[in-house]
């Protein structure tokens, strides 16, 4: 297996260069070429041919390649199906806001969490993405866009905290001066509720935003749509969240997908408000994405507004996520499933 140079920090590339008999500054040149968008070692014109040949024998520049791209006519959202070096496919979504561009990236090829409303889990889990493969999504889409991407959300295919070490290395890489230099406060990491990893993350003293996919206020309903709740129930999850808030001083955003007739009655809003009362948090309400295999329908706009108002009346900050790219099925998982001959809507 060849090594992927996109997995390396600048200092690690300097060390690699010296191990290959080159001065350390050659590693810095490699680093600069990677972030300039070099697609092959032949592009690196200020590096000797002999060193490039040696690199070609042992390493790759693991750039994701665009297989399909869709651009929304409604809001300019872009959805990408990206092919990796081993032929696997992942998805990234680019969203345009007043403050700049945000990319939603994948952390795994497929997902093993089994959330019943999510398209990402339909075709199963294949493997974790390396730090460089996560990074390559940002570089690939930014190159296609021709403008800087300033914010990152890890809410694409996969469970980020199930790929814990690689995700943290990605945060280090994307935050590094001389690279993309995207501040940690501009990075959000989502989890379906791996309480043990949330506690470890709390010890890392990162300035990222933690997003918790909650989606139900009690164990019975949550276990019915999110199998992870059988491993870490709501009590364990809330305890881990309290620990995270205490250690980091950072507000948590609780994601709550509203599914008609499943988790959207106003009594559930009351239970949710009680569960979150006193926490440094915000609730982001998300009308469920239509995926044929799940059989779930989104709540009506009237019910979404009632649910939000009920939370706010009980002192819980809540907003409704703006739907983006609705004309191109921008929710992650659907393109990959179609590529794998699993029909979705």
């Amino acid at each position: 297996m060849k090594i992927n140079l996109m997995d390396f920090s600048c200092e690690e590339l300097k060390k690699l260069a010296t191990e290959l008999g080159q001065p350390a500054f050659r590693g810095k040149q490699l680093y600069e070429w990677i972030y300039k968008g070099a697609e092959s070692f032949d592009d690196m014109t200020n590096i000797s041919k002999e060193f490039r040949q040696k690199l070609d024998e042992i390493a790759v520049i693991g750039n994701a390649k665009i297989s399909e791209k869709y651009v929304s006519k409604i809001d300019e959202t872009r959805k990408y199906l990206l092919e990796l070096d081993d032929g696997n496919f992942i998805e990234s979504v680019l969203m345009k806001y007043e403050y700049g561009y945000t990319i939603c990236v994948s952390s795994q090829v497929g997902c093993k969490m089994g959330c019943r409303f999510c398209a990402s889990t339909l075709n199963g889990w294949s493997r974790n993405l390396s730090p460089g493969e996560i990074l390559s999504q940002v570089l690939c889409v930014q190159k296609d866009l021709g403008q800087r991407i300033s914010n990152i959300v890890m809410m694409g295919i996969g469970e980020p905290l199930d790929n814990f070490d690689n995700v943290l290395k990605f945060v280090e890489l994307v935050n590094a001066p001389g690279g993309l230099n995207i501040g940690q406060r501009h990075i959000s990491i989502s989890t379906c509720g791996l309480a043990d990893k949330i506690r470890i993350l709390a010890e890392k003293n990162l300035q990222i935003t933690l997003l918790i996919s909650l989606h139900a206020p009690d164990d019975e309903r949550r276990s019915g749509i999110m199998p992870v709740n059988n491993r870490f129930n709501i009590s364990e999850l809330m305890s881990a969240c309290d620990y995270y808030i205490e250690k980091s001083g950072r507000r948590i955003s609780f994601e709550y997908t509203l599914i008609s007739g499943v988790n959207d009655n106003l009594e559930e809003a009351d239970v949710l408000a009680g569960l979150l009362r006193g926490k440094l948090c915000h609730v982001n309400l998300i009308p469920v994405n239509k995926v044929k295999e799940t059989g779930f329908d989104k709540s009506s706009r009237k019910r979404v507004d009632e649910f939000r108002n009920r939370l706010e009346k009980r002192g819980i900050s809540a907003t409704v996520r703006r739907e983006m790219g609705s004309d191109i099925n921008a929710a992650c998982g659907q393109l990959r499933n179609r590529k794998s001959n699993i029909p979705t809507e």
Side-chain angles (χ1 to χ4, degrees), residues 118-146:
C118 181
S120 296
T121 196
L122 291 175
N123 200 26
W125 177 89
S126 296
R127 65 175 179 84
N128 288 330
L129 297 183
S130 76
E133 287 177 319
I134 305 172
L135 175 66
S136 73
Q137 298 170 65
V138 186
L139 291 173
C140 176
V141 172
Q142 183 168 269
K143 184 176 182 179
D144 181 67
L145 176 66

Side-chain angles (χ1 to χ4, degrees), residues 4-6 13 16 25-56 59-63:
N4 179 3
L5 295 187
M6 294 188 75
L13 286 175
L16 176 66
F25 75 84
R26 293 295 184 201
K28 187 173 188 296
Q29 288 176 322
L30 284 175
Y31 185 78
E32 291 169 348
W33 277 114
I34 288 170
Y35 287 89
K36 287 177 183 176
E39 295 184 359
S40 74
F41 296 116
D42 290 338
D43 294 335
M44 301 179 178
T45 52
N46 62 347
I47 295 176
S48 70
K49 183 177 181 180
E50 292 74 21
F51 187 35
R52 282 183 277 153
Q53 288 175 338
K54 178 62 177 177
L55 288 169
D56 195 45
V60 296
I61 307 169
N63 290 306

Side-chain angles (χ1 to χ4, degrees), residues 82-102:
L82 302 176
E83 184 173 4
L84 304 173
D85 284 344
D86 65 355
N88 272 303
F89 292 91
I90 54 174
E91 295 176 30
S92 301
V93 178
L94 182 78
M95 296 157 286
K96 183 179 181 181
Y97 295 98
E98 291 182 1
Y99 54 77
Y101 288 95
T102 295

Side-chain angles (χ1 to χ4, degrees), residues 39 48 64 73 121 123 129 146 150 162 167 169 190 212 217 227 237 280 294 305 316 325:
E39 295 184 359
S48 70
K73 296 178 181 178
T121 196
N123 200 26
L129 297 183
S150 57
D162 189 44
V167 164
K169 178 63 178 294
S190 174
I212 304 292
L237 177 57
L280 182 62
T294 68
D305 289 339
I316 303 299

Side-chain angles (χ1 to χ4, degrees), residues 55-68:
L55 288 169
D56 195 45
E57 293 172 4
I58 66 167
V60 296
I61 307 169
N63 290 306
K65 295 176 177 60
I66 298 173
S67 176
E68 298 178 23

Side-chain angles (χ1 to χ4, degrees), residues 77-78 93-97 99-105 141 145 148-154 186 188 324:
T77 295
R78 298 185 180 199
V93 178
L94 182 78
M95 296 157 286
K96 183 179 181 181
Y97 295 98
Y99 54 77
Y101 288 95
T102 295
I103 187 171
C104 179
V105 298
V141 172
L145 176 66
R148 174 175 167 78
I149 294 173
S150 57
N151 294 269
I152 297 171
V153 180
M154 302 201 72
H186 296 272
S188 299
M324 302 186 73

Side-chain angles (χ1 to χ4, degrees), residues 217 221 256 262-273 307:
R221 289 177 179 83
Y256 194 101
V262 175
N263 65 352
D264 67 343
N265 69 57
L266 298 185
E267 288 75 15
E268 285 166 325
D270 293 337
V271 176
L272 179 61
F307 200 98

